[in-house]
Amino acid sequence: FTETGVTARIMAATRPKMRMVVFTPNVAVQQQLAVVWGIKTFLVPPAAHTDQMVELIDAELLASGSGAPGESAILSAGVPPGIAGTTSSIRVHRVGAGSVERTV
């Protein structure tokens, strides 16, 4: 989940083997990330809190077929949401579980 796309660009530069799916409420950021190697972007409404971020991500992954129930996902985001430059959390989440399983 990103406001600016900076963390997504940094992560994409390492050419990870796993898929990168990025969520943003900003149309300009979505368009910029659409041409970055290995990133699939989704435009979602702004999230008021991290639980809402997880709900938005889950719903979009399942609706688009980009994630399957039970599949593991690593979420990176800033806390609190909506403030650029605050990437401060990594969460391991099981798609469709509805809640975050572990915060690092």
Side-chain angles (χ1 to χ4, degrees):
F1 212 95
T2 185
E3 295 292 323
T4 63
V6 171
T7 301
R9 285 184 193 89
I10 291 169
M11 292 171 70
T14 68
R15 302 291 197 259
K17 291 181 182 178
M18 66 176 88
R19 296 179 289 143
M20 288 187 59
V21 184
V22 180
F23 302 86
T24 183
N26 186 317
V27 174
V29 171
Q30 181 198 25
Q31 292 170 344
Q32 292 165 5
L33 292 177
V35 297
V36 175
W37 182 92
I39 291 180
K40 180 175 183 175
T41 61
F42 289 94
L43 187 64
V44 293
H49 48 79
T50 54
D51 288 343
Q52 187 179 26
M53 269 194 247
V54 173
E55 291 168 8
L56 290 167
I57 289 168
D58 249 4
E60 194 62 46
L61 286 173
L62 293 169
S64 68
S66 295
E71 185 176 37
S72 293
I74 300 171
L75 313 178
S76 168
V79 178
I83 301 173
T86 61
T87 302
S88 59
S89 69
I90 297 173
R91 295 177 177 214
V92 177
H93 174 71
R94 191 156 315 277
V95 176
S99 64
V100 176
E101 296 175 1
R102 181 176 173 192
T103 301
V104 178

